[in-house]
Amino acid sequence: RRGRGWGHVVAVQMRGEATRQLIMDAAAEAFAEIGYGSVTLSDIIARAQVTKGACYHHFPTKESLAAALISYTDAETLATARHATSESASALENLIRTTFALANVTQQDTKVRIGVLLSQALGQIGDVAQEGFQQRRQVFVAAVERAVAEGDLVEHVDADDLGHVLWCSFVGNYLLTAA
């Protein structure tokens, strides 16, 4: 008997990715409504309407699901920041555009919103979120460095410090708004 071919493999991979995203969406909604600590994988499975096997195939633990949401957030925020900038705009304008774009994606995308919260919370108790936090922070540091290089900001500004303050302000404003 002949194999099913590449088309079948691609279809299975696409179905698997769709299931993975469905589970992540359900988890983000549950974490937003109930809170990470109060949600179980069984709650997520019921909300996503998938089998236990499908969930455990993609996410063997709630922590692995949280890590996936944080990774998703990292990728989305970095892509949003890249998309918000323009070579023809000044560095300061790009910094402002990036801030508004990140605020928008955080407000509009539940997975990103929850990923930011998980990153913040889990970053305080372990290494799960540290890399992503540093990557998102670096977006602001790089923007400030470019603003200094272009003369939009005075040259004695410490780009690392100001980038850190801007990132923390963004996260802090988000947390206050969410409260």
Side-chain angles (χ1 to χ4, degrees):
R1 183 175 143 174
R2 294 191 118 144
R4 294 185 184 178
W6 288 107
H8 175 71
V9 171
V10 171
V12 168
Q13 289 173 340
M14 288 174 60
R15 189 174 65 235
E17 182 57 26
T19 300
R20 186 176 191 280
Q21 289 302 316
L22 181 68
I23 295 166
M24 288 175 63
D25 287 338
E29 290 170 7
F31 294 159
E33 288 176 24
I34 303 167
Y36 177 79
S38 299
V39 173
T40 66
L41 277 177
S42 294
D43 297 329
I44 295 165
I45 290 166
R47 188 178 287 247
Q49 297 180 346
V50 297
T51 65
K52 282 184 182 182
C55 184
Y56 287 113
H57 171 74
H58 294 285
F59 306 106
T61 65
K62 186 168 75 167
E63 291 77 17
S64 66
L65 185 47
L69 286 167
I70 291 168
S71 293
Y72 172 86
T73 298
D74 295 343
E76 286 299 307
T77 55
L78 292 174
T80 297
R82 277 193 296 276
H83 187 266
T85 59
S86 167
E87 289 294 322
S88 62
S90 73
L92 192 55
E93 183 180 343
N94 279 332
L95 183 59
I96 294 166
R97 284 180 176 189
T98 299
T99 302
F100 279 106
L102 290 175
N104 187 52
V105 75
T106 302
Q107 181 183 22
Q108 299 298 320
D109 188 328
T110 303
K111 288 186 287 193
V112 170
R113 187 169 51 258
I114 293 303
V116 168
L117 290 174
L118 289 170
S119 178
Q120 179 70 16
L122 296 178
Q124 295 174 7
I125 59 172
D127 296 336
V128 174
Q130 288 301 318
E131 183 179 327
F133 181 86
Q134 291 304 323
Q135 287 176 341
R136 291 189 301 276
R137 178 188 169 278
Q138 188 57 36
V139 167
F140 285 90
V141 171
V144 171
E145 287 172 344
R146 183 173 170 218
V148 169
E150 291 182 3
D152 288 340
L153 295 172
V154 293
E155 65 184 43
H156 67 273
V157 167
D158 185 315
D160 192 63
D161 285 347
L162 182 55
H164 183 79
V165 166
L166 290 172
W167 170 241
C168 290
S169 297
F170 178 79
V171 172
N173 282 328
Y174 170 73
L175 292 173
L176 286 173
T177 301

